[in-house]
Amino acid sequence: MSDHKPAGRFLDAAIDLLRRVRDEEADSVEAAGTLLADTVLSGGRLFAFGAGHSSLAAQDVVYRAGGLALMNLLAVPGVVGVDVMPATLGSALERVDGLASAVLDSSPLREGDALVIVSLSGRNALPVEMAMNARALGVRVIGVTSVAYASETTSRHVSGTFLKDHCDVVLDSKIAVGDAELTLDTVPAPFAPASTVVTSALMQAMTATAAATLADRGVEPPLLRSGNVDGGHEWNGRVLEEYRDRIFYRR
């Protein structure tokens, strides 16, 4: 039964979105997970990037209990979170042409790697340029974005294109433009964003698919365990040592 209180309405909206991505994005999630598994099997490295709040979903799959040990965060100084002061600087940096090129030039990304780019709108220069330049390097790109923005907003990149236009696989979060699920007559602006919930779920569904695909092919998935369970640190030490040449967050 639906709850008419704001909390219940928000949870209902989030559940509806999760059901939509489960049903409508199943093939894309399978393709993305398979791409990650193929990359691992071929000796490639895995990276995730997001700017601002989109970075939360990228960080959620890096050095995470139950996650793939090989997923590295591609960090761009000043845009990873709201810890930069002022926080508005991060938003401004997302619109700077050339920043992605500078980051990629100094990053370990190389041909044969895979990069997951998370950007709700997919319209800013940084994620678009990141995807374009990564593919030019021979990197496979997975975009996690709301495709609705491409038809309801204009691109902020000089090419006039969006993140979705430069990906090998696109996962559509189905989030409506504006990222706010609730309205009330007594509140002057829409509120209660669900993009983090849905995008993180898509990321975890993708990595779960990658792990299962590796197992199906006879390869033990390089998974991390919680350090808060007995034997977790020992398990992680073995995995991190075995794949040390493809893990960059320890360096």
Side-chain angles (χ1 to χ4, degrees):
M1 181 179 294
S2 179
D3 188 335
H4 295 293
K5 293 181 179 180
R9 288 176 56 208
F10 171 75
L11 291 170
D12 283 345
I15 290 167
D16 288 345
L17 283 163
L18 289 171
R19 286 186 175 129
R20 281 193 66 194
V21 297
R22 179 196 63 191
D23 297 340
E24 299 174 21
E25 296 300 298
D27 290 344
S28 295
V29 170
E30 184 74 19
T34 301
L35 189 157
L36 294 183
D38 289 343
T39 302
V40 172
L41 289 170
S42 63
R45 294 88 56 81
L46 309 180
F47 296 85
F49 165 76
H53 287 93
S54 290
S55 182
L56 295 173
Q59 293 178 57
D60 193 46
V61 294
V62 176
Y63 190 52
R64 177 65 188 263
L68 292 172
L70 302 192
M71 187 64 77
N72 301 277
L73 185 68
L74 182 64
V76 179
V79 306
V80 172
V82 294
D83 56 332
V84 63
M85 295 296 174
T88 50
L89 175 61
S91 299
L93 289 173
E94 289 185 63
R95 298 192 287 270
V96 174
D97 291 322
L99 180 56
S101 298
V103 170
L104 289 175
D105 287 346
S106 60
S107 80
L109 269 169
R110 68 187 184 194
E111 183 176 2
D113 291 345
L115 172 61
V116 184
I117 300 177
V118 186
S119 174
L120 176 61
S121 72
R123 69 188 297 221
N124 288 312
L126 184 55
V128 174
E129 184 181 298
M130 187 79 75
M132 293 174 70
N133 290 15
R135 293 183 89 189
L137 291 173
V139 173
R140 304 290 297 281
V141 174
I142 298 168
V144 187
T145 187
S146 171
V147 172
Y149 277 82
S151 59
E152 298 180 41
T153 69
T154 56
S155 171
R156 289 177 173 148
H157 186 254
V158 65
S159 68
T161 61
F162 288 75
L163 169 61
K164 74 173 186 64
D165 300 316
H166 306 285
C167 300
D168 295 279
V169 181
V170 175
L171 303 183
D172 183 4
S173 64
K174 316 294 182 181
I175 299 295
V177 172
D179 192 18
E181 295 300 321
L182 301 185
T183 58
L184 282 175
D185 292 342
T186 54
V187 178
F191 59 105
S195 61
T196 304
V197 174
V198 179
T199 303
S200 291
L202 279 169
M203 296 286 280
Q204 293 297 347
M206 174 186 67
T207 54
T209 300
T213 301
L214 288 168
D216 287 344
R217 297 181 186 179
V219 175
E220 180 188 321
L223 296 169
L224 295 172
R225 301 190 72 176
S226 171
N228 296 313
V229 300
D230 292 342
H233 287 299
E234 292 77 14
W235 172 283
N236 291 342
R238 174 183 66 83
V239 173
L240 294 173
E241 177 61 23
E242 181 178 350
Y243 289 96
R244 64 184 182 277
D245 60 327
R246 293 196 257 175
I247 295 172
F248 299 92
Y249 50 79
R250 297 187 75 197
R251 301 179 182 181

